[in-house]
Amino acid sequence: MVEQAENEAGREDDDYGLDPRVVPSVREAIEAEDAGAIDALMEPLHAADIADVLEQIGATDRQALVRLWPQGIDGDVLSELDEAIREDVIEALPHEVLTEAVRELDSDDVVDLIEDLGEPVQERILDALEVGDRAAVEQSLTYPEHSAGRLMQREVVTAPEHWTVGEAIDFLRNARELPDQFYHVILVDPRWHPVGYVTLGKLLSSKRAVRLTDITEDSFRTIGVRDEEGDVAYAFNQYHLISAPVVDEDGRLAGVITIDDAMVVLDEEHEEDVLRLAGVSEESSVSDGVLDVVRQRLPWLVANLFTASLSAIVISQFTGTIARIVALAALMPIVASTGGIAGTQALAVAVRALATRDLTSSNAARVVRREIAAGLLNGLSLALVLGAGGALIFGSPLIGLVLGLAMVVNQIVACLGGVTVPLVLQRIGLDPALASGTFVTTLTDVMGFLAFLGLATMILT
């Protein structure tokens, strides 16, 4: 079984992602209490794949896996784990294993690991750190959540601004300890203010006598400890940074943020927007229990229940028209649903553009005009098809005319609402991704029914 396990686990060398055969094999090994087979399956895996295994098995199997293979859960695995199960795994780890795991992490990874955990588990991890590392982590935790101070790592490589390349290289070679990953040597003045940085590539390719200040990068910029992490990720993406020094309120060097952490934030921001557009909490995970899923989704379903009532009120105002022309009851969802799709399309583009700052007050008017024009053209195209179909199927050109006109109106409203609603919500300080979907859906439904039934009342009765 061990040989088979090694073959299955080794498949990760050929393909990206976790081999789907590994998880069933792990479950079999857990059921058999076979620690050797578990080690053969898990040891070759990358930390991210080990985290995937822990997330894909149930809570009971997860506890058994940690018990049978505790030495395999290191700091990298803990950092990769979904927050929904991270605390359970940490609580199951023996103290000596947890101590070794957290001590191998940089300060920013420890902060990311513990900031959302309960206080008892936080204290357990802090107790495992050495005195200096604990002080650094506790200092980072004093900064606001989702700030650069939480995101930065304290381990930095610095050099006085008057040094030469040779002096810097000698320092690096003789240093007792360096960060696991760093891309720049940061130049500081006597007051510990960062004044520039030099890439490792430029450092290694320059003559020893060259002054560091002569080979600094033009991309140098500093980030404040209280800057929003979303702004930090935007700066990295916009200006193609690979690392950036973080300064405190007095402009002194406090730490550094590297591109891997910035891109994680950017990815989380995008994921958060997608979930919020669907009315789902950004904390949602496939590892959540049934009650957690219900708690996260039910409030939005209740809110949607009330907004849907507005459509019912609109429809109730035209019961006489519907009673006289029964075909309208079958046709009116077509206009509303098509408008809903158009509104969602425009909304997704607008929210994404707001997040990347491609949609701003300076170009908002142009984007709104574009959406109105797109809605008009889409509406006319759909009106020709739907109007002709309605006239042929129901034998009434007037029904086709009503369908076509209502479609044009609702497409314009949908495209207009899809871009203006998130703009307005952002202007008044609300998250466009969180609230826009409900407003746009309600708008397209109400206007779709109102346009179709209103036109039907005027033209057909």
Side-chain angles (χ1 to χ4, degrees), residues 309-320 322 453:
S309 300
L310 295 175
S311 299
I313 292 172
V314 170
I315 294 172
S316 68
Q317 304 304 307
F318 298 95
T319 52
I322 297 172
L453 295 175

Side-chain angles (χ1 to χ4, degrees), residues 50-67:
I50 295 174
D52 284 344
V53 172
L54 288 165
E55 291 164 9
Q56 292 179 30
I57 60 180
T60 302
D61 286 342
R62 190 180 305 123
Q63 295 290 325
L65 176 58
V66 174
R67 174 173 54 82

Side-chain angles (χ1 to χ4, degrees), residues 153-180:
Q153 67 180 55
R154 294 303 186 108
E155 298 82 7
V156 296
V157 179
T158 61
E161 57 183 330
H162 62 268
W163 270 11
T164 63
V165 167
E167 289 173 310
I169 290 177
D170 291 341
F171 167 75
L172 293 175
R173 286 174 175 170
N174 296 322
R176 293 181 56 186
E177 188 173 350
L178 292 172
D180 290 338

Side-chain angles (χ1 to χ4, degrees), residues 21-44:
R21 296 174 295 178
V22 170
V23 172
S25 298
V26 169
R27 288 197 181 102
E28 291 178 11
I30 292 172
E31 186 176 351
E33 298 273 320
D34 190 341
I38 291 175
D39 184 65
L41 281 162
M42 302 288 283
E43 194 278 331

Side-chain angles (χ1 to χ4, degrees), residues 40-168:
L41 281 162
M42 302 288 283
E43 194 278 331
L45 298 179
H46 186 275
D49 292 327
I50 295 174
D52 284 344
V53 172
L54 288 165
E55 291 164 9
Q56 292 179 30
I57 60 180
T60 302
D61 286 342
R62 190 180 305 123
Q63 295 290 325
L65 176 58
V66 174
R67 174 173 54 82
L68 292 167
W69 195 61
Q71 73 279 2
I73 312 299
D74 58 17
D76 291 333
V77 173
L78 293 178
S79 295
E80 295 284 353
L81 278 175
D82 190 289
E83 294 175 5
I85 67 169
R86 184 182 290 168
E87 189 164 347
D88 292 339
V89 172
I90 290 174
E91 289 179 338
L93 284 175
H95 178 72
E96 62 276 7
V97 174
L98 179 63
T99 298
E100 183 177 353
V102 298
R103 284 185 176 178
E104 66 187 31
L105 293 174
D106 289 330
S107 58
D108 60 321
D109 293 322
V110 178
V111 172
D112 179 65
L113 183 69
I114 72 174
E115 61 182 349
D116 295 318
L117 299 177
E119 188 172 337
V121 184
Q122 280 191 355
E123 194 60 34
R124 186 180 173 210
I125 292 177
L126 290 172
D127 287 341
L129 297 173
E130 296 179 356
V131 175
D133 294 334
R134 173 169 182 154
V137 170
E138 288 179 329
Q139 175 62 34
S140 294
L141 290 172
T142 64
Y143 294 115
E145 191 174 3
H146 306 304
S147 68
R150 291 282 187 100
L151 193 62
M152 70 181 181
Q153 67 180 55
R154 294 303 186 108
E155 298 82 7
V156 296
V157 179
T158 61
E161 57 183 330
H162 62 268
W163 270 11
T164 63
V165 167
E167 289 173 310

Side-chain angles (χ1 to χ4, degrees), residues 429-445:
L430 296 178
D431 187 342
L434 181 62
S436 296
T438 300
F439 285 113
V440 172
T441 300
T442 302
L443 178 65
T444 55
D445 284 349

